[in-house]
Each structure stands twice: as structure tokens, then as C-alpha cells.
Amino acid sequence: MNEMLSAGIELMLIGMGMVYAFLAMLVVAITVMSNLVRHYFPEVPTKFPEQPVVPGNDKAVVAAITAAVLQYRKKHKNG
């Protein structure tokens, strides 16, 4: 019985060692591939078109939003 227990523990340790070794190799492989991709394909910064700075709000937009909010509140007054 003692021999079976020690054989089981040995098998468990070998199996866990293999899993951890595989995971370590996977982390190293992903890190190396990430560095290679960053080196050979650098990220190109995207340029967004500049938005014009508007000092005030458009009155038609404000009126439309106000009307939509009032209409929503009328429909959902009892809710």
C-alpha cells in the first residue's frame, strides 16, 4: 500500500511539473512573439481630424433634446 501511495505522489508531481513547464514555455513563447510583432510591425499612430471648437450649443439641437425629454416624461409619467 505504501508503494502505491508513493508511486501516486511521484506521478502527481511529474504531471504537475509537466503542466507548469508547459505553461512557462507558453508564457515565454507569447512574450517573444509579442516582442517580434512590435519590432517588425510598429504601431502607426492614427491621426484624427481636428474637431472645430464651438463656443456655444446649437439652439435647434437643444430645442430638439428638450422636446424629446418632455415627450418621454409625458409618456412615462405613471411609470
Side-chain angles (χ1 to χ4, degrees):
M1 184 71 165
N2 197 12
E3 292 176 15
M4 289 181 66
L5 187 60
S6 64
I9 291 174
E10 183 181 348
L11 183 62
M12 177 189 71
L13 291 175
I14 291 172
M16 290 176 65
M18 295 289 279
V19 168
Y20 284 123
F22 174 76
L23 290 175
M25 289 189 312
L26 187 65
V27 167
V28 169
I30 289 174
T31 304
V32 168
M33 288 172 48
S34 176
N35 289 335
L36 285 174
V37 167
R38 271 196 227 129
H39 182 264
Y40 289 110
F41 302 102
E43 188 173 334
V44 179
T46 57
K47 291 187 178 181
F48 295 106
E50 292 185 19
Q51 301 275 339
V53 178
V54 180
N57 293 330
D58 190 12
K59 292 184 180 186
V61 173
V62 173
I65 292 172
T66 305
V69 169
L70 289 175
Q71 189 176 26
Y72 176 83
R73 287 184 180 169
K74 284 182 185 177
K75 283 184 180 179
H76 295 35
K77 190 173 187 177
N78 294 334

